[in-house]
């Protein structure tokens, strides 16, 4: 796991001063490390007996697609507004300054589905919690969350405390 940690570089003051951005691009560039990351993110989901992977726009898509293939389940995507072409449900959620919205196709999941929600980084947990809310609106069950890394100092885990949560790395 130390090799994974070293492959994520810090970019100071991006996207704004005071923020240290965790850049996953070097990890993605290394096929061996990318494979290790996918396998590590899949490990707990096997025990959760999931029927689908729900990937959050946009970097969640990078990890969600290969995870779905490895787990032998379907992939469902959650997107920002006006990106999905079919009938959809949406949820608005609070950001540090303002609000944002996520959408999912209304037929993406049903009551029989148990899903793992996937994204690259868990920060404050707002986007992940909003995704869980969308899944609930469809009647499906969140079996757990899987992230490549969490920024533990932002306490996003606290917002998801009612669920199984796996992060391969913690910063």
């Amino acid at each position: 796991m130390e090799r994974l940690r070293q492959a994520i570089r810090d970019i100071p003051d991006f996207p704004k001063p005071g923020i240290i951005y965790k850049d996953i691009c070097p990890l993605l560039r290394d096929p061996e490390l990318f494979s290790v990351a996918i396998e590590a993110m899949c490990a707990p989901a096997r025990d959760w007996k999931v029927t689908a992977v729900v990937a959050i726009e946009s970097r969640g898509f990078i990890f969600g697609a290969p995870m779905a293939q490895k787990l032998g389940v379907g992939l469902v995507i959650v997107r920002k507004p006006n990106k999905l072409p079919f009938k959809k449900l949406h949820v608005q959620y609070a950001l540090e300054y303002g609000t944002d919205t996520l959408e999912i196709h209304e037929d993406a999941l049903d009551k029989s589905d148990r899903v793992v929600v996937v994204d690259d980084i868990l920060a404050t947990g707002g986007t992940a919690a909003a995704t869980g809310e969308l899944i609930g609106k469809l009647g499906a069950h969140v079996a757990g969350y899987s992230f490549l890394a969490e920024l533990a100092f932002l306490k996003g885990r606290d917002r998801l405390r009612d669920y199984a949560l796996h992060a391969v790395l913690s910063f």
Side-chain angles (χ1 to χ4, degrees), residues 44-168:
R46 288 188 177 94
D47 293 334
W48 297 339
K49 297 178 174 50
V50 299
T51 60
V53 170
V54 176
I56 301 171
E57 184 172 342
S58 67
R59 290 182 306 248
F61 298 171
I62 295 168
F63 296 94
M67 285 180 66
Q69 283 196 320
K70 273 202 170 290
L71 294 169
V73 299
L75 176 68
V76 173
I77 58 175
V78 170
R79 301 216 56 193
K80 300 289 183 175
N82 304 313
K83 304 277 185 174
L84 294 173
F86 189 64
K87 297 174 191 169
K88 52 204 163 268
L89 298 178
H90 69 275
V91 65
Q92 191 173 55
Y93 63 103
L95 297 171
E96 189 175 351
Y97 301 105
T99 61
D100 208 346
T101 302
L102 292 174
E103 297 181 337
I104 192 169
H105 279 147
E106 68 180 16
D107 64 350
L109 300 165
D110 63 39
K111 289 182 239 178
S112 67
D113 283 306
R114 292 178 49 81
V115 306
V116 56
V117 178
V118 174
D119 208 353
D120 64 333
I121 306 286
L122 171 62
T124 64
T127 303
T131 299
E133 187 178 335
L134 274 176
I135 292 163
K137 284 183 173 188
L138 294 175
H141 175 74
V142 175
Y145 290 83
S146 187
F147 301 93
L148 174 63
E150 73 175 304
L151 305 179
F153 65 94
L154 293 175
K155 302 184 187 302
R157 184 178 285 265
D158 293 350
R159 291 183 84 167
L160 306 172
R161 67 180 163 273
D162 294 335
Y163 301 94
L165 190 146
H166 173 70
V168 176

